[in-house]
Amino acid sequence: MAEKSFKYVIVGGGVAAGYAAREFGKQGFNPGELAIISKEAVAPYERPALSKAYLFPEGTARLPGFHVCVGSGGERLAPEWYKEKGIELILGTEIVKADLAAKTLTSAAGEIFKYQILIIATGSTVIKLSDFGVQGADAKNIFYLREIDDADKLVEAIKAKKNGKAVVVGGGYIGLELSAALRINNIDVSMVYPEPWCMPRLFTADIAAFYEGYYAIKGINIIKGTVAVGFTADSNGEVKEVKLKDGRVLEADIVVVGVGGRPLTTLFKGQVAEEKGGIKTDTFFRTSVPDVYAIGDVATFPLKLYNEIRRVEHVDHARKSAEQAVQAIKSSEEGKTVEEYDYLPYFYSRAFDLSWQFYGDNVGDTVLFGDNDPKSPKPKFGSYWIKDRKVVGAFLEGGSPDENKAIAKVARVQPSIQNLDQLTKEGLSFAAKI
Ligand code: FDA
Ligand code: NAD
């Protein structure tokens, strides 16, 4: 079987891989030294588009429009860019075996790739309902969303089931973004999740109440405190009903499931140190194995600001960890080092006309400020999180670019406060002063 050898290999061809390639381009390398091996058939793209404009009936996003690095306002790296740079894009190729001691990777087709330096950028996969043995979960038209092929299948189903009914299982990022996208396509949507409010890992009850109220106005039926326990299908094997634990039965032509992600570390199990479900790295994204780095969703790294190690499943960290790792690799070749990774967590989402940003840490007490009436023509509200009398996290719905910058600064600076009532009263103007 064919054997190929590279100085640098990135396994995985998602967001982190794309930003790593751009950083190699900036730092300099020789043609033929770098390869990206990806299971997907397309060059790295901005994954967040898949749950947003990719699904819209108008203003639809399609490749090559959203290849990296347009999501952060950078140059769009179409496949030709990789060719010009002499980067080998090895697409549609799944790595099924990694031998970190021998420095080789083996593909499903049996090709062998040798490397001197490996960057693991395999991202996450979806947790499936069949993982918890939910009956009938393999029926047709039950969808998960991670990769572009998944999105294409969903787009086909939306066309085929025009004005039909959808049940969205899960109240996290996928649940909220996909319910909105389906509704915009004129599908009748019910959302089901077990928690007392949506996005419980981040939202307070007050924040969630706004989004649940807004979604209800848009005609989305929200069912909380229960889970899907089974599906029935028609004679074609297509899903028809969703059975809930509380005994209710919902009709469905389409089911979308978003019950969380799982980092793809399986290839490296037993060969590299892991922590908190990811591959443990240092501040330069070096793993416990020399010459092996891990970036993006798979990395559990030191979050300097909180003196803790964490894994982050969001695009901003995928981009920045990629840049940090490549800068560290190139500097070490010259016997130099780079500064420590000093990441400020940043998450965002967009759905309907809404758009929120969150910076920092969601721990401690919270205050809510602003207009959070879902019926308002232009709602704008936010929250601060306060720990040890310091503001450590900030959330803002409907902020302008300057206002979002201001809340980011608050989360970075962590200003002290004396009085929570005063902070509530000042609201966004508190951030503007920092
Ligand atoms: P990513 O998943 O991007 O890439 C991993 C790549 O590795 C894939 O191409 C995969 O096929 C490949 N791969 C895996 N195993 C392989 C193997 N064995 N062999 C070869 N290739 C392999 N975040 C955010 O902050 N804001 C947002 O709005 C969104 N929106 C969003 C929407 C959707 C639909 C998803 C699924 C995710 C988001 N995210 C997000 C999260 C964000 O996209 C995510 O954190 C980054 O894509 C992580 O980048 P990585 O490069 O680590 O993984
Ligand atoms: P998530 O962790 O955000 O949400 C999972 C949700 O699943 C939970 O909130 C819960 O409501 C629900 N749940 C758990 N078990 C359930 C069950 N048995 N039945 C019904 N509901 C159940 O994960 P996700 O929404 O699936 O997103 C997957 C990945 O994609 C994550 O890494 C996420 O960060 C990423 N993503 C991010 C964005 C963004 O940042 N804007 C957008 C889309 C996806």
Side-chain angles (χ1 to χ4, degrees):
M1 246 309 165
E3 187 176 297
K4 283 187 167 178
S5 202
F6 299 94
K7 185 168 182 189
Y8 313 106
V9 168
I10 303 174
V11 58
V15 174
Y19 279 75
R22 179 177 70 166
E23 194 59 34
F24 270 112
K26 282 187 190 164
Q27 301 288 327
F29 64 96
N30 297 315
E33 280 184 341
L34 171 60
I36 295 177
I37 306 173
S38 180
K39 182 159 67 68
E40 289 186 270
V42 295
Y45 59 88
E46 301 282 3
R47 194 164 308 285
L50 295 185
S51 52
K52 303 176 188 69
Y54 203 84
L55 304 175
F56 293 170
E58 281 161 31
T60 321
R62 284 291 177 268
L63 289 176
F66 62 100
H67 281 299
V68 297
C69 300
V70 291
S72 58
E75 183 194 355
R76 184 164 57 87
L77 310 182
E80 304 78 58
W81 180 86
Y82 297 85
K83 207 176 256 170
E84 278 162 25
K85 291 275 173 198
I87 298 172
E88 201 155 334
L89 263 186
I90 303 168
L91 302 176
T93 301
E94 184 176 8
I95 295 301
V96 294
K97 189 174 166 229
D99 184 338
L100 299 185
K103 294 191 155 191
T104 58
L105 304 171
T106 309
S107 74
E111 301 138 293
I112 291 174
F113 302 99
K114 294 190 83 64
Y115 61 82
Q116 292 173 35
I117 292 180
L118 177 67
I119 302 181
I120 301 171
T122 41
S124 300
T125 187
V126 295
I127 296 175
K128 294 205 158 179
L129 289 179
S130 49
D131 297 345
F132 339 112
V134 174
Q135 172 222 344
D138 54 357
K140 286 183 195 151
N141 295 333
I142 299 182
F143 298 100
Y144 296 83
L145 181 58
R146 183 77 211 176
E147 299 190 345
I148 203 156
D149 285 354
D150 305 323
D152 285 335
K153 286 182 201 145
L154 182 55
V155 167
E156 281 310 305
I158 291 171
K159 282 187 195 147
K161 304 289 177 185
K162 233 176 177 1
N163 307 328
K165 287 186 161 62
V167 173
V168 174
V169 179
Y173 287 96
I174 292 283
L176 285 167
E177 293 182 8
L178 267 288
S179 294
L182 289 163
R183 192 72 203 102
I184 293 167
N185 280 284
N186 208 27
I187 299 226
D188 179 14
V189 180
S190 296
M191 277 181 88
V192 182
Y193 46 90
E195 295 92 350
W197 65 79
C198 63
M199 197 81 94
R201 282 196 299 165
L202 177 64
F203 289 180
T204 62
D206 288 336
I207 295 177
F210 167 81
Y211 293 98
E212 291 177 359
Y214 191 97
Y215 274 46
I217 292 168
K218 292 286 183 188
I220 293 171
N221 172 31
I222 296 182
I223 301 169
K224 302 192 266 188
T226 189
V227 292
V229 289
F231 299 93
T232 47
D234 64 12
S235 54
N236 297 324
E238 294 189 356
V239 70
K240 273 289 142 224
E241 285 174 347
V242 183
K243 291 185 259 176
L244 305 185
K245 196 174 183 182
D246 68 6
R248 278 185 271 187
V249 176
L250 307 174
E251 287 177 45
D253 304 301
I254 293 175
V255 172
V256 174
V257 183
V259 294
R262 189 168 49 77
L264 276 170
T265 59
T266 334
L267 280 174
F268 312 99
K269 279 257 174 294
Q271 302 186 64
V272 65
E274 290 190 49
E275 203 153 335
K276 295 190 171 170
I279 296 175
K280 192 177 177 192
T281 76
D282 67 6
T283 189
F284 308 117
F285 294 97
R286 292 185 300 207
T287 69
S288 60
V289 177
D291 300 330
V292 179
Y293 292 71
I295 57 178
D297 279 13
V298 288
T300 302
F301 63 96
L303 217 159
K304 190 177 172 188
L305 192 58
Y306 308 128
N307 197 21
E308 239 182 74
I309 67 161
R310 285 204 197 163
R311 213 167 53 72
V312 172
E313 290 181 358
H314 291 275
V315 75
D316 180 60
H317 160 72
R319 295 169 179 155
K320 289 179 174 152
S321 59
E323 289 165 359
Q324 170 75 351
V326 174
Q327 286 166 17
I329 289 168
K330 296 305 289 183
S331 301
S332 73
E333 287 173 358
E334 293 164 17
K336 296 184 192 150
T337 59
V338 292
E339 282 185 21
E340 290 182 345
Y341 190 60
D342 189 7
Y343 187 62
L344 174 68
Y346 162 45
F347 317 144
Y348 70 88
S349 183
R350 291 192 301 271
F352 295 118
D353 291 331
L354 304 174
S355 171
W356 61 258
Q357 300 203 353
F358 167 82
Y359 295 88
D361 215 7
N362 58 320
V363 291
D365 296 325
T366 57
V367 300
L368 184 80
F369 59 83
D371 172 9
N372 67 333
D373 180 352
K375 293 190 286 302
S376 278
K378 259 202 163 309
K380 187 194 279 188
F381 72 96
S383 259
Y384 295 117
W385 279 259
I386 301 101
K387 194 183 160 202
D388 301 333
R389 295 194 164 271
K390 284 181 180 165
V391 184
V392 294
F395 175 97
L396 185 60
E397 165 60 48
S400 67
D402 281 347
E403 289 164 342
N404 287 327
K405 250 188 227 157
I407 63 156
K409 192 165 177 205
V410 167
R412 168 62 77 183
V413 173
Q414 302 187 344
S416 298
I417 54 132
Q418 300 308 324
N419 181 326
L420 293 186
D421 292 337
Q422 180 66 20
L423 186 61
T424 309
K425 224 180 275 160
E426 287 188 28
L428 196 50
S429 61
F430 172 82
K433 285 188 317 205
I434 302 298

